[in-house]
Amino acid sequence: MDNYKILGTNIRFFREREKLTQNELGEKLFVSGRCVGYWEKGQRKPDIDTLRRIADILNCDFDELINHSSDEESRPKVILVEDEKTILKCFMKLLKETLPGANVTGFDNPGTALRYAAKTKIAIAFLDIKLYGSSGIDLAKNLVEISPDLNIIFLTGYPEYAKDALDIFCSGYVLKPLTRKKILEQVEHLRYPIKMNNILAPDSKEIYP
């Protein structure tokens, strides 16, 4: 797949994650929906300034939008599900900095996360327990049905959910706020170990002995 098509696939993925139509994204960018369609088909490519605006509108990192590394598929897949977009963006940045060797994807919608999991082998899922109109516990059960050896790590401000979380054999339970130290503590004690070659940041041992 050439670079234009990879970029187009990424634009479409993040647009659909944000529940925007091609026309709606086009309106925010002052272009036509047909133009967005050309981008997503890999027939045209936005200029660099437009790409930065797309990344901002679609709540993803610029590097994440354009990334087409050849080793992408071999990197452990990590997802984060958090329905508060500001927190999602903050925690995504933290996970990517702490686990640079992982392929980290964020979702603010449980249904989108499930569809992604159905097509992609996920190593670790960081899940907010309290999701709008849903439950991280229910989401975890559905994810485990898809992938029984998935490592589930719950994020919450509600310690009373610990028993329910442990009942589905989660790998970890983290009280917010998420920190680099907490992330490292969790990946050191996964229920289902994964290959950790180069997944951690170089300074991890200085942060967490």
Side-chain angles (χ1 to χ4, degrees):
M1 186 181 293
D2 61 43
N3 292 354
Y4 277 28
K5 288 185 178 180
I6 292 171
L7 175 61
T9 298
N10 291 344
I11 292 174
R12 179 178 178 181
F13 172 79
F14 291 113
R15 173 181 63 78
E16 291 180 342
R17 189 184 72 175
E18 295 300 306
K19 301 183 181 67
L20 293 176
T21 65
Q22 290 180 342
N23 286 334
E24 288 170 336
L25 177 57
E27 288 175 3
K28 292 178 182 292
L29 294 165
F30 304 104
V31 301
S32 68
R34 179 177 293 182
C35 181
V36 175
Y38 287 145
W39 295 339
E40 293 184 355
K41 291 176 183 177
Q43 296 174 345
R44 297 180 185 173
K45 182 180 179 181
D47 60 44
I48 191 70
D49 290 334
T50 302
L51 281 171
R52 293 189 186 282
R53 289 166 58 202
I54 291 172
D56 185 58
I57 292 168
L58 299 183
N59 293 302
C60 63
D61 293 339
F62 177 76
D63 289 341
E64 186 177 23
L65 182 66
I66 66 172
N67 182 25
H68 55 270
S69 173
S70 60
D71 68 344
E72 189 77 6
E73 289 304 312
S74 65
R75 296 162 64 192
K77 306 298 187 298
V78 176
I79 66 169
L80 167 66
V81 183
E82 165 62 64
D83 57 5
E84 292 290 340
K85 291 187 177 181
T86 301
I87 298 176
L88 175 66
K89 192 170 184 178
C90 177
F91 285 1
M92 279 288 292
K93 182 175 184 294
L94 189 60
L95 281 168
K96 288 181 177 182
E97 289 175 348
T98 309
L99 308 174
N103 182 343
V104 184
T105 305
F107 301 93
D108 64 0
N109 181 283
T112 309
L114 277 173
R115 288 192 291 275
Y116 177 80
K119 299 178 180 179
T120 308
K121 177 65 175 178
I122 300 171
I124 309 173
F126 289 84
L127 309 179
D128 184 19
I129 283 188
K130 294 282 284 186
L131 297 169
Y132 181 74
S134 183
S135 159
I137 299 287
D138 291 338
L139 174 59
K141 291 176 180 177
N142 290 328
L143 286 171
V144 169
E145 285 184 8
I146 295 172
S147 181
D149 58 350
L150 169 64
N151 290 288
I152 301 286
I153 298 174
F154 286 108
L155 308 174
T156 184
Y158 304 90
E160 62 269 25
Y161 288 100
K163 183 181 183 301
D164 289 338
L166 293 173
D167 282 346
I168 63 168
F169 306 107
C170 67
S171 288
Y173 189 91
V174 177
L175 291 178
K176 294 180 181 177
L178 187 64
T179 65
R180 295 187 75 178
K181 181 176 180 180
K182 290 177 181 178
I183 294 170
L184 291 165
E185 287 173 339
Q186 295 302 318
V187 299
E188 287 287 330
H189 301 93
L190 295 175
R191 179 177 293 274
Y192 303 104
I194 62 175
K195 293 181 180 179
M196 302 299 287
N197 294 348
N198 300 320
I199 189 175
L200 301 177
D203 60 350
S204 294
K205 291 188 181 300
E206 297 176 14
I207 302 167
Y208 176 60

